[in-house]
Amino acid sequence: MGNLLCCIQVDQSTVAIKERFGKFEEVMEPGCHCLPWFLGSKLAGNLSLRLQQLDVKCETKTKDNVFVNVVASVQYRALAGKANDAFYKLSNTRSQIQAYVFDVIRASVPKLNLDDAFEQKNEIAKAVEDELEKAMSAYGYEIVQTLIVDIEPDERVKRAMNEINAAARMRVAANEKAEAEKILQIKRAEGEAESKYLSGLGIARQRQAIVDGLRDSVLGFSENVPGTTAKDVMDMVLVTQYFDTMKEIGAASKSSAVFIPHGPGAIRDVATQIRDGLLQASTQ
């Protein structure tokens, strides 16, 4: 009906290309336009001004000979001021952009190792965007943004990278565990040394107290009981300690201590041996 009335409608975010007798005449903005077909005017086509996205998957090789698939996402749109260039100069815009993306990626990635390629995704995307911007601006297109959305190495390479990472983390964990055990052993040794030191002080004080107590007992007994000697007092002390020891051994149900000989008459022999040993030590 619009063609019969020589009127056409151009939608929003779209421009129409008007030709007259096969030659470009003007770019028609959104709205209603008169197109007198009987005067040779016709609609050559429409051009969308909306933002478009092209995902490009490119296979290439890194510097360390690992084949990867690089996925780039290019966002572009036609410029209203250069709509005639965008409509007439390119027959397949998407194929043209894809060719430029392939060219830049295959020139950039082979210069990088695999790990560096992951780290320098933004630099690769910037190189692709700069090259596309220079090339596509002449054809009436604006490159809004270029993203490297993924770098996919071979599945075996990914598995090997994960194993390397896991091994490195296990090595760090083993070092930390060994360091913790080392610190624990050092602290345990320091504690044992301190414990033995304090135990030695306690034993020394205990023996000193025993000696002081025996000395006071001998002196007190000799003064209160006339005619007794220090030897008699020591014999009595030894007998008393002997019976105390036998009492403790008898009270314990699982005692493994045995005195040989263990008769009461052996106390005198033990005392004699102790005194003889002391006297021999003092004479030498």
Side-chain angles (χ1 to χ4, degrees):
M1 187 65 177
N3 290 333
L4 293 177
L5 298 176
C6 299
C7 293
I8 63 167
Q9 173 184 318
V10 180
D11 296 333
Q12 184 66 34
S13 299
T14 306
V15 293
I17 305 300
K18 178 182 177 181
E19 292 180 351
R20 188 172 186 180
F21 296 111
K23 181 181 178 181
F24 169 74
E25 184 173 1
E26 67 172 328
V27 176
M28 294 184 291
E29 301 290 336
C32 182
H33 296 269
C34 180
L35 193 69
W37 55 268
F38 54 86
L39 297 178
S41 298
K42 73 169 185 177
L43 178 67
N46 294 320
L47 181 67
S48 175
L49 301 180
R50 294 178 179 177
L51 184 68
Q52 302 181 62
Q53 178 168 311
L54 174 64
D55 293 328
V56 181
K57 188 174 184 179
C58 175
E59 184 180 15
T60 185
K61 185 181 71 170
T62 62
K63 186 177 181 180
D64 47 355
N65 297 322
V66 178
F67 281 91
V68 294
N69 288 316
V70 181
V71 181
S73 179
V74 181
Q75 298 174 353
Y76 67 98
R77 64 186 172 195
L79 297 173
K82 296 183 177 181
N84 57 332
D85 291 335
F87 186 81
Y88 288 105
K89 288 187 176 182
L90 287 179
S91 60
N92 191 330
T93 306
R94 300 175 73 86
S95 296
Q96 187 76 14
I97 293 176
Q98 182 174 338
Y100 279 108
V101 172
F102 279 178
D103 180 66
V104 176
I105 289 179
R106 288 174 176 168
S108 302
V109 175
K111 299 177 182 178
L112 304 172
N113 292 324
L114 181 59
D115 293 338
D116 296 334
F118 279 101
E119 294 176 0
Q120 300 183 26
K121 288 171 57 177
N122 293 336
E123 286 76 3
I124 298 173
K126 189 65 169 59
V128 174
E129 183 175 340
D130 292 343
E131 186 66 24
L132 284 175
E133 186 67 33
K134 290 189 296 183
M136 299 304 295
S137 61
Y139 301 113
Y141 282 92
E142 176 190 10
I143 304 301
V144 178
Q145 192 171 16
T146 303
L147 303 172
I148 301 298
V149 296
D150 196 10
I151 298 178
E152 298 178 355
D154 184 79
E155 187 64 31
R156 291 173 297 179
V157 176
K158 290 196 290 185
R159 186 164 54 249
M161 292 174 65
N162 291 333
E163 291 176 356
I164 292 172
N165 188 28
R169 293 182 180 275
M170 289 179 64
R171 183 167 61 250
V172 173
N175 290 335
E176 294 294 333
K177 183 179 180 181
E179 189 67 23
E181 292 179 353
K182 174 184 175 182
I183 294 174
L184 185 62
Q185 291 178 0
I186 291 174
K187 293 300 182 181
R188 186 182 295 116
E190 291 177 353
E192 291 179 356
E194 185 68 19
S195 175
K196 291 179 180 179
Y197 173 75
L198 296 176
S199 177
L201 289 179
I203 293 175
R205 292 174 181 174
Q206 179 186 15
R207 291 176 178 175
Q208 183 64 39
I210 292 174
V211 171
D212 293 341
L214 288 176
R215 185 183 65 245
D216 295 340
S217 299
V218 170
L219 293 176
F221 194 86
S222 299
E223 293 176 356
N224 295 327
V225 182
T228 58
T229 63
K231 175 180 177 301
D232 297 332
V233 176
M234 291 301 297
D235 290 339
M236 185 183 67
V237 171
L238 289 174
V239 171
T240 302
Q241 290 183 347
Y242 172 79
F243 282 112
D244 290 341
T245 303
M246 296 302 295
K247 179 180 178 182
E248 292 179 0
I249 293 174
S253 60
K254 295 182 180 180
S255 177
S256 59
V258 178
F259 282 90
I260 299 175
H262 61 279
I267 294 299
R268 183 177 298 276
D269 295 336
V270 173
T272 302
Q273 293 176 9
I274 293 174
R275 283 195 299 272
D276 292 343
L278 292 174
L279 291 174
Q280 290 177 3
S282 62
T283 56
Q284 291 179 355

